């Protein structure tokens, strides 16, 4: 499958006399498939149940129709939008000899009318026009997402699951504190090791024990909190074992290398490596775009203004890098990037620090990418001793 960043693709002409082109509009209840078949004047469209076997049978049927019309089919290209279904269908089709592509949903141009008709049929036609332009090598029609392997997708799951569990832990703790605050109790700490045992001894300011229904609710919340905390601990212990057993393997070696930087923990290093740094990036601009740390200028004539971050990249990486940039200023005070930031924010203008922290995060992710891929040292950065 040609890579989205391969510039040589634009030099290869699309032979529509030997290529079947199909786009699939995926939904939970049905798939709408639209195609361009050589030798058939009409552009067929078929609604299917969500079944890859039915889709493959439809493509082969179109291939037989094209052969009967006197065309030799050498290529079947299928595309669909990135979304809830992920990349499994692309891998499934590739394993059966079908060229599959996944379109970035945000890269497809749509009408700017305030109210416009939107149906699966119209969406399929829109995808078809963009996919045809991309196959012809015309830039700007749409852009393609890289299809990861199952192993690459699976490597992201522990960090993402932990992220969800940490959010759940925070919600449970806040709910417990809110329940107690309605009774005037503000000194109870749900995160303590023996907090569940202390619930029975908690009294309201009036000196009475907790009401029975409230006590039962809090006990269930504490049991749920204990389960979430134990699952977070299991994920962290399993990750530590992987790092110890496979410390020389590619992504694991990157995690250990990043964790040597003072101010970067194992959790942050694991997230950055599996979300962005282990991917095959073309250059520093691609790294910054994928991290969602590039700007979105608005220029028209003499008017020049900046609309802020494009927010088209990986939101998890963007949040993590901005948080890491603030920590970097605390733990790496003599590094070149920190000195650069201090020089740019010395005027103490309102909003300068907030704006420049994004620029620092962008420079930092590029520096970390070069550090783990090419070994380029980080100027002035303090490292922990190698273990």
């Amino acid at each position: 499958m040609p890579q989205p960043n391969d510039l040589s693709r634009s030099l290869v002409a699309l032979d529509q006399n030997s290529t079947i082109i199909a786009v699939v509009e995926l939904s939970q209840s049905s798939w709408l498939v639209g195609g361009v078949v050589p030798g058939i004047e009409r552009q067929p469209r078929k609604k299917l149940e969500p079944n890859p076997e039915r889709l493959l049978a439809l493509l082969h049927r179109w291939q037989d129709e094209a052969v009967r019309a006197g065309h030799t089919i050498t290529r079947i290209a299928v595309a669909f939008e990135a979304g809830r279904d992920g990349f499994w269908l692309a891998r499934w089709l590739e394993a059966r000899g079908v060229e599959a592509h996944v379109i970035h949903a945000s890269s497809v141009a749509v009408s700017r009318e305030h109210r416009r008709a939107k149906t699966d049929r119209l969406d399929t036609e829109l995808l078809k026009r963009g996919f045809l332009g991309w196959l012809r090598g015309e830039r700007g029609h749409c852009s393609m997402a890289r299809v990861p392997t199952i192993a690459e997708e699976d490597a992201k799951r522990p960090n993402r699951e932990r992220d969800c569990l940490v959010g759940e832990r925070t919600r449970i703790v806040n709910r417990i504190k809110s329940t107690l605050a309605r009774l005037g109790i503000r000194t109870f700490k749900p995160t303590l090791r023996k907090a569940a045992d202390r619930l029975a001894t908690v009294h309201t300011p009036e000196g009475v024990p907790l009401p029975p229904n409230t006590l039962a609710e809090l006990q269930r919340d504490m049991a749920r909190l204990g389960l979430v905390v134990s699952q977070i601990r299991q994920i962290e212990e399993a990750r530590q074992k992987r790092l110890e057993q496979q410390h020389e393997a590619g992504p694991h070696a990157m995690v250990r290398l990043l964790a040597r930087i003072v101010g970067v923990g194992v959790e942050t290093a694991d997230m950055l490596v599996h979300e962005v740094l282990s991917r095959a990036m073309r250059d520093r601009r691609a790294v910054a775009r994928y991290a969602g740390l590039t700007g979105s200028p608005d220029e028209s004539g003499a008017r020049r203004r900046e609309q802020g971050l494009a927010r088209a990249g990986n939101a998890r990486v963007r949040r993590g890098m901005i948080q890491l940039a603030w920590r970097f200023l605390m733990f790496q005070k003599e590094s070149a990037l920190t000195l650069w930031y201090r020089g740019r924010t010395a005027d103490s203008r309102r909003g300068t620090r907030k704006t420049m922290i994004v620029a620092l995060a962008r420079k930092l992710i590029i520096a970390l990418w070069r550090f783990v891929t090419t070994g380029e040292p980080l100027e002035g950065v303090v490292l922990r001793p190698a273990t």
Side-chain angles (χ1 to χ4, degrees):
M1 184 179 67
Q3 294 297 322
N5 293 330
D6 187 2
L7 297 181
S8 64
R9 175 185 58 79
S10 61
L11 303 178
V12 180
L14 172 63
D15 185 5
Q16 289 188 246
N17 292 322
S18 63
T19 304
I20 291 179
I21 300 167
V23 294
V24 187
E25 178 68 20
L26 303 177
S27 66
Q28 190 171 358
S29 58
S30 63
W31 292 353
L32 183 61
V33 187
V36 178
V37 183
I40 300 179
E41 184 176 353
R42 64 179 178 84
Q43 294 188 357
R45 188 169 54 249
K46 180 71 174 177
K47 178 172 286 190
L48 305 173
E49 61 184 33
N51 189 326
E53 297 288 352
R54 293 285 304 277
L55 173 61
L56 187 61
L58 177 64
L59 295 175
H60 288 164
R61 194 185 79 189
W62 287 351
Q63 183 178 13
D64 295 339
E65 293 179 4
V67 170
R68 287 195 296 269
H71 293 266
T72 302
I73 301 302
T74 60
R75 182 185 184 189
I76 301 178
V78 179
F80 58 92
E81 271 187 306
R84 174 179 174 271
D85 286 85
F87 301 95
W88 71 268
L89 182 59
R91 289 191 295 263
W92 191 91
L93 292 172
E94 285 285 340
R96 287 153 181 80
V98 178
E99 180 182 325
H101 303 272
V102 182
I103 302 175
H104 275 296
S106 61
S107 69
V108 180
V110 296
S111 172
R112 294 191 297 176
E113 297 177 4
H114 179 61
R115 290 187 178 181
R116 63 181 180 88
K118 184 187 182 304
T119 64
D120 287 346
R121 180 182 62 83
L122 295 177
D123 289 346
T124 302
E125 294 299 321
L126 194 65
L127 289 178
K128 191 188 303 180
R129 288 196 298 270
F131 188 37
L132 278 169
W134 186 85
L135 288 173
R136 288 193 299 264
E138 301 175 13
R139 298 183 177 183
H141 277 275
C142 63
S143 59
M144 298 295 171
R146 173 182 171 271
V147 178
T149 64
I150 294 181
E152 289 174 337
E153 282 198 300
D154 189 61
K156 299 178 182 179
R157 299 316 309 167
N159 186 273
R160 294 189 176 189
E161 182 188 4
R162 184 188 179 278
D163 194 29
C164 292
L165 290 174
V166 169
E168 180 65 19
R169 181 182 63 187
T170 302
R171 285 190 290 272
I172 295 174
V173 170
N174 290 340
R175 186 163 60 244
I176 293 173
K177 289 183 177 180
S178 299
T179 301
L180 292 172
R182 286 195 296 270
L183 299 174
I185 302 170
R186 300 181 180 275
T187 58
F188 184 80
K189 295 184 179 180
T191 54
L192 294 179
R193 182 175 301 177
K194 297 184 179 181
D197 300 332
R198 291 186 57 243
L199 272 178
T201 62
V202 175
H203 289 73
T204 65
E206 294 90 343
V208 299
L210 295 175
N213 291 333
T214 301
L215 178 60
E217 177 188 354
L218 291 173
Q219 288 174 339
R220 287 189 290 268
D221 282 339
M222 290 300 302
R224 192 177 300 116
L225 177 61
L227 175 62
V228 170
V229 171
S230 66
Q231 289 179 342
I232 293 175
R233 190 180 303 113
Q234 291 172 9
I235 294 173
E236 294 173 348
E237 291 174 353
R239 179 185 58 208
Q240 190 61 35
K241 289 181 180 178
R242 287 195 302 269
L243 291 177
E244 293 173 356
Q245 295 171 358
Q246 307 174 14
H247 59 277
E248 296 298 334
H252 299 294
M254 288 183 179
V255 173
R256 294 173 66 91
L257 185 60
L258 277 185
R260 289 186 57 197
I261 301 175
V262 175
V264 179
V266 176
E267 188 63 39
T268 301
D270 185 71
M271 183 273 292
L272 291 177
V273 168
H274 290 109
E275 293 288 346
V276 58
L277 299 181
S278 60
R279 297 170 61 94
M281 294 292 185
R282 183 178 68 250
D283 54 21
R284 61 184 180 85
R285 292 183 177 87
V287 176
R289 279 197 302 270
Y290 184 80
L293 294 170
T294 54
S296 51
D298 181 12
E299 298 183 1
S300 179
R303 186 186 66 179
R304 301 284 191 277
R305 72 185 184 95
E306 185 65 43
Q307 302 179 103
L309 292 180
R311 296 180 180 271
N314 190 314
R316 183 174 283 100
V317 175
R318 180 172 63 248
R319 290 193 302 267
M321 282 308 305
I322 292 177
Q323 293 171 4
L324 178 58
W326 288 114
R327 291 203 309 272
F328 197 80
L329 296 176
M330 296 173 56
F331 291 97
Q332 301 288 348
K333 296 183 179 180
E334 301 303 323
S335 65
L337 288 176
T338 300
L339 297 178
W340 172 85
Y341 176 84
R342 289 176 181 172
R344 291 301 185 95
T345 57
D347 55 5
S348 300
R349 289 188 300 175
R350 182 180 180 183
T352 301
R353 283 170 53 84
K354 184 177 179 180
T355 301
M356 294 309 299
I357 201 66
V358 177
L360 175 63
R362 181 168 56 247
K363 285 180 172 291
L364 182 56
I365 187 64
I366 294 172
L368 295 178
W369 172 66
R370 289 171 173 168
F371 178 58
V372 299
T373 55
T374 66
E376 181 177 330
L378 301 169
E379 186 178 351
V381 171
V382 180
L383 301 179
R384 299 184 182 95
T387 57

mmCIF file of all heavy atoms in Angstrom, residues 66-91:
data_model
loop_
_atom_site.group_PDB
_atom_site.id
_atom_site.type_symbol
_atom_site.label_atom_id
_atom_site.label_comp_id
_atom_site.label_asym_id
_atom_site.label_seq_id
_atom_site.Cartn_x
_atom_site.Cartn_y
_atom_site.Cartn_z
ATOM 1 N N ALA A 66 -16.762 -5.800 -14.877
ATOM 2 C CA ALA A 66 -15.791 -5.058 -15.678
ATOM 3 C C ALA A 66 -15.094 -5.973 -16.681
ATOM 4 O O ALA A 66 -14.839 -5.576 -17.832
ATOM 5 C CB ALA A 66 -14.762 -4.395 -14.774
ATOM 6 N N VAL A 67 -14.799 -7.206 -16.273
ATOM 7 C CA VAL A 67 -14.161 -8.161 -17.190
ATOM 8 C C VAL A 67 -15.103 -8.501 -18.334
ATOM 9 O O VAL A 67 -14.692 -8.580 -19.504
ATOM 10 C CB VAL A 67 -13.737 -9.422 -16.422
ATOM 11 C CG1 VAL A 67 -13.292 -10.522 -17.384
ATOM 12 C CG2 VAL A 67 -12.604 -9.094 -15.450
ATOM 13 N N ARG A 68 -16.394 -8.683 -18.040
ATOM 14 C CA ARG A 68 -17.359 -8.965 -19.108
ATOM 15 C C ARG A 68 -17.510 -7.789 -20.063
ATOM 16 O O ARG A 68 -17.855 -7.974 -21.236
ATOM 17 C CB ARG A 68 -18.715 -9.317 -18.494
ATOM 18 C CG ARG A 68 -18.753 -10.690 -17.847
ATOM 19 C CD ARG A 68 -20.194 -11.127 -17.601
ATOM 20 N NE ARG A 68 -20.869 -10.256 -16.655
ATOM 21 C CZ ARG A 68 -20.893 -10.457 -15.338
ATOM 22 N NH1 ARG A 68 -20.237 -11.506 -14.814
ATOM 23 N NH2 ARG A 68 -21.537 -9.641 -14.541
ATOM 24 N N ALA A 69 -17.232 -6.574 -19.565
ATOM 25 C CA ALA A 69 -17.296 -5.393 -20.425
ATOM 26 C C ALA A 69 -16.028 -5.196 -21.242
ATOM 27 O O ALA A 69 -15.927 -4.216 -21.990
ATOM 28 C CB ALA A 69 -17.565 -4.149 -19.587
ATOM 29 N N GLY A 70 -15.045 -6.102 -21.092
ATOM 30 C CA GLY A 70 -13.836 -6.047 -21.905
ATOM 31 C C GLY A 70 -12.656 -5.368 -21.258
ATOM 32 O O GLY A 70 -11.694 -5.007 -21.951
ATOM 33 N N HIS A 71 -12.651 -5.199 -19.948
ATOM 34 C CA HIS A 71 -11.551 -4.551 -19.251
ATOM 35 C C HIS A 71 -10.793 -5.572 -18.393
ATOM 36 O O HIS A 71 -11.399 -6.478 -17.811
ATOM 37 C CB HIS A 71 -12.059 -3.419 -18.349
ATOM 38 C CG HIS A 71 -12.624 -2.268 -19.114
ATOM 39 N ND1 HIS A 71 -11.890 -1.157 -19.472
ATOM 40 C CD2 HIS A 71 -13.880 -2.057 -19.617
ATOM 41 C CE1 HIS A 71 -12.647 -0.304 -20.134
ATOM 42 N NE2 HIS A 71 -13.865 -0.830 -20.242
ATOM 43 N N THR A 72 -9.501 -5.410 -18.320
ATOM 44 C CA THR A 72 -8.658 -6.240 -17.461
ATOM 45 C C THR A 72 -8.380 -5.480 -16.169
ATOM 46 O O THR A 72 -7.716 -4.439 -16.184
ATOM 47 C CB THR A 72 -7.329 -6.588 -18.152
ATOM 48 O OG1 THR A 72 -7.613 -7.274 -19.383
ATOM 49 C CG2 THR A 72 -6.478 -7.478 -17.259
ATOM 50 N N ILE A 73 -8.896 -5.985 -15.063
ATOM 51 C CA ILE A 73 -8.776 -5.306 -13.770
ATOM 52 C C ILE A 73 -7.491 -5.769 -13.087
ATOM 53 O O ILE A 73 -7.302 -6.956 -12.834
ATOM 54 C CB ILE A 73 -9.983 -5.592 -12.877
ATOM 55 C CG1 ILE A 73 -11.279 -5.125 -13.569
ATOM 56 C CG2 ILE A 73 -9.828 -4.896 -11.527
ATOM 57 C CD1 ILE A 73 -11.290 -3.651 -13.918
ATOM 58 N N THR A 74 -6.617 -4.810 -12.807
ATOM 59 C CA THR A 74 -5.344 -5.104 -12.138
ATOM 60 C C THR A 74 -5.268 -4.477 -10.743
ATOM 61 O O THR A 74 -4.298 -4.723 -10.023
ATOM 62 C CB THR A 74 -4.166 -4.586 -12.967
ATOM 63 O OG1 THR A 74 -4.284 -3.161 -13.137
ATOM 64 C CG2 THR A 74 -4.132 -5.269 -14.333
ATOM 65 N N ARG A 75 -6.274 -3.689 -10.388
ATOM 66 C CA ARG A 75 -6.189 -2.956 -9.122
ATOM 67 C C ARG A 75 -7.586 -2.706 -8.581
ATOM 68 O O ARG A 75 -8.487 -2.297 -9.334
ATOM 69 C CB ARG A 75 -5.456 -1.640 -9.346
ATOM 70 C CG ARG A 75 -5.250 -0.774 -8.117
ATOM 71 C CD ARG A 75 -4.622 0.548 -8.539
ATOM 72 N NE ARG A 75 -4.313 1.408 -7.412
ATOM 73 C CZ ARG A 75 -3.924 2.687 -7.537
ATOM 74 N NH1 ARG A 75 -3.809 3.229 -8.743
ATOM 75 N NH2 ARG A 75 -3.655 3.413 -6.478
ATOM 76 N N ILE A 76 -7.783 -2.977 -7.306
ATOM 77 C CA ILE A 76 -9.017 -2.622 -6.601
ATOM 78 C C ILE A 76 -8.614 -1.742 -5.417
ATOM 79 O O ILE A 76 -7.875 -2.180 -4.539
ATOM 80 C CB ILE A 76 -9.771 -3.869 -6.101
ATOM 81 C CG1 ILE A 76 -10.143 -4.787 -7.265
ATOM 82 C CG2 ILE A 76 -11.023 -3.455 -5.342
ATOM 83 C CD1 ILE A 76 -10.850 -6.062 -6.833
ATOM 84 N N ALA A 77 -9.072 -0.499 -5.409
ATOM 85 C CA ALA A 77 -8.718 0.465 -4.360
ATOM 86 C C ALA A 77 -9.976 0.836 -3.590
ATOM 87 O O ALA A 77 -10.976 1.253 -4.179
ATOM 88 C CB ALA A 77 -8.073 1.709 -4.966
ATOM 89 N N VAL A 78 -9.914 0.679 -2.282
ATOM 90 C CA VAL A 78 -11.047 0.957 -1.408
ATOM 91 C C VAL A 78 -10.618 1.988 -0.359
ATOM 92 O O VAL A 78 -9.482 1.940 0.137
ATOM 93 C CB VAL A 78 -11.536 -0.324 -0.702
ATOM 94 C CG1 VAL A 78 -12.711 -0.019 0.226
ATOM 95 C CG2 VAL A 78 -11.938 -1.373 -1.726
ATOM 96 N N ALA A 79 -11.509 2.901 -0.027
ATOM 97 C CA ALA A 79 -11.210 3.909 0.996
ATOM 98 C C ALA A 79 -12.432 4.097 1.878
ATOM 99 O O ALA A 79 -13.575 3.917 1.441
ATOM 100 C CB ALA A 79 -10.809 5.236 0.361
ATOM 101 N N PHE A 80 -12.189 4.454 3.120
ATOM 102 C CA PHE A 80 -13.256 4.806 4.046
ATOM 103 C C PHE A 80 -12.704 5.798 5.055
ATOM 104 O O PHE A 80 -11.491 5.937 5.216
ATOM 105 C CB PHE A 80 -13.838 3.572 4.756
ATOM 106 C CG PHE A 80 -12.829 2.769 5.531
ATOM 107 C CD1 PHE A 80 -12.582 3.016 6.874
ATOM 108 C CD2 PHE A 80 -12.118 1.750 4.916
ATOM 109 C CE1 PHE A 80 -11.658 2.290 7.585
ATOM 110 C CE2 PHE A 80 -11.185 1.001 5.622
ATOM 111 C CZ PHE A 80 -10.955 1.276 6.952
ATOM 112 N N GLU A 81 -13.605 6.516 5.727
ATOM 113 C CA GLU A 81 -13.193 7.533 6.693
ATOM 114 C C GLU A 81 -12.732 6.898 7.994
ATOM 115 O O GLU A 81 -13.290 5.893 8.447
ATOM 116 C CB GLU A 81 -14.358 8.481 6.985
ATOM 117 C CG GLU A 81 -14.444 9.666 6.053
ATOM 118 C CD GLU A 81 -15.501 10.643 6.511
ATOM 119 O OE1 GLU A 81 -16.655 10.238 6.701
ATOM 120 O OE2 GLU A 81 -15.173 11.835 6.690
ATOM 121 N N ALA A 82 -11.717 7.507 8.607
ATOM 122 C CA ALA A 82 -11.290 7.073 9.936
ATOM 123 C C ALA A 82 -12.384 7.407 10.941
ATOM 124 O O ALA A 82 -12.972 8.484 10.900
ATOM 125 C CB ALA A 82 -9.983 7.761 10.322
ATOM 126 N N GLY A 83 -12.651 6.474 11.829
ATOM 127 C CA GLY A 83 -13.706 6.705 12.802
ATOM 128 C C GLY A 83 -13.771 5.605 13.831
ATOM 129 O O GLY A 83 -12.757 5.014 14.208
ATOM 130 N N ARG A 84 -14.984 5.303 14.261
ATOM 131 C CA ARG A 84 -15.203 4.362 15.356
ATOM 132 C C ARG A 84 -14.677 2.964 15.039
ATOM 133 O O ARG A 84 -14.207 2.257 15.928
ATOM 134 C CB ARG A 84 -16.704 4.314 15.655
ATOM 135 C CG ARG A 84 -17.127 3.287 16.682
ATOM 136 C CD ARG A 84 -18.627 3.364 16.915
ATOM 137 N NE ARG A 84 -19.089 2.302 17.798
ATOM 138 C CZ ARG A 84 -19.468 1.105 17.369
ATOM 139 N NH1 ARG A 84 -19.424 0.833 16.073
ATOM 140 N NH2 ARG A 84 -19.894 0.193 18.209
ATOM 141 N N ASP A 85 -14.759 2.543 13.790
ATOM 142 C CA ASP A 85 -14.354 1.185 13.424
ATOM 143 C C ASP A 85 -12.848 1.000 13.371
ATOM 144 O O ASP A 85 -12.380 -0.134 13.222
ATOM 145 C CB ASP A 85 -14.962 0.816 12.066
ATOM 146 C CG ASP A 85 -16.448 0.542 12.175
ATOM 147 O OD1 ASP A 85 -17.235 1.496 12.124
ATOM 148 O OD2 ASP A 85 -16.813 -0.628 12.342
ATOM 149 N N GLY A 86 -12.091 2.081 13.441
ATOM 150 C CA GLY A 86 -10.634 1.930 13.470
ATOM 151 C C GLY A 86 -10.067 1.474 12.136
ATOM 152 O O GLY A 86 -10.559 1.847 11.061
ATOM 153 N N PHE A 87 -9.058 0.623 12.198
ATOM 154 C CA PHE A 87 -8.311 0.236 10.997
ATOM 155 C C PHE A 87 -8.434 -1.248 10.663
ATOM 156 O O PHE A 87 -7.747 -1.726 9.769
ATOM 157 C CB PHE A 87 -6.825 0.571 11.183
ATOM 158 C CG PHE A 87 -6.561 2.025 11.446
ATOM 159 C CD1 PHE A 87 -6.435 2.505 12.732
ATOM 160 C CD2 PHE A 87 -6.448 2.931 10.404
ATOM 161 C CE1 PHE A 87 -6.195 3.845 12.982
ATOM 162 C CE2 PHE A 87 -6.214 4.271 10.634
ATOM 163 C CZ PHE A 87 -6.079 4.734 11.926
ATOM 164 N N TRP A 88 -9.283 -1.985 11.379
ATOM 165 C CA TRP A 88 -9.311 -3.430 11.176
ATOM 166 C C TRP A 88 -9.749 -3.793 9.764
ATOM 167 O O TRP A 88 -9.235 -4.754 9.167
ATOM 168 C CB TRP A 88 -10.250 -4.091 12.195
ATOM 169 C CG TRP A 88 -11.710 -3.826 11.948
ATOM 170 C CD1 TRP A 88 -12.466 -2.828 12.451
ATOM 171 C CD2 TRP A 88 -12.574 -4.607 11.115
ATOM 172 N NE1 TRP A 88 -13.752 -2.912 12.001
ATOM 173 C CE2 TRP A 88 -13.851 -4.002 11.174
ATOM 174 C CE3 TRP A 88 -12.408 -5.743 10.334
ATOM 175 C CZ2 TRP A 88 -14.946 -4.500 10.470
ATOM 176 C CZ3 TRP A 88 -13.496 -6.243 9.634
ATOM 177 C CH2 TRP A 88 -14.751 -5.626 9.707
ATOM 178 N N LEU A 89 -10.696 -3.026 9.200
ATOM 179 C CA LEU A 89 -11.186 -3.340 7.864
ATOM 180 C C LEU A 89 -10.092 -3.153 6.821
ATOM 181 O O LEU A 89 -9.986 -3.947 5.872
ATOM 182 C CB LEU A 89 -12.394 -2.463 7.533
ATOM 183 C CG LEU A 89 -13.045 -2.709 6.166
ATOM 184 C CD1 LEU A 89 -13.513 -4.157 6.046
ATOM 185 C CD2 LEU A 89 -14.212 -1.746 5.947
ATOM 186 N N ALA A 90 -9.262 -2.116 6.983
ATOM 187 C CA ALA A 90 -8.161 -1.905 6.039
ATOM 188 C C ALA A 90 -7.179 -3.073 6.090
ATOM 189 O O ALA A 90 -6.707 -3.560 5.055
ATOM 190 C CB ALA A 90 -7.452 -0.590 6.347
ATOM 191 N N ARG A 91 -6.852 -3.538 7.291
ATOM 192 C CA ARG A 91 -5.940 -4.684 7.407
ATOM 193 C C ARG A 91 -6.566 -5.945 6.825
ATOM 194 O O ARG A 91 -5.884 -6.752 6.186
ATOM 195 C CB ARG A 91 -5.559 -4.894 8.874
ATOM 196 C CG ARG A 91 -4.643 -3.823 9.444
ATOM 197 C CD ARG A 91 -4.094 -4.252 10.800
ATOM 198 N NE ARG A 91 -5.156 -4.363 11.797
ATOM 199 C CZ ARG A 91 -5.451 -3.411 12.664
ATOM 200 N NH1 ARG A 91 -4.783 -2.273 12.670
ATOM 201 N NH2 ARG A 91 -6.424 -3.595 13.552
#
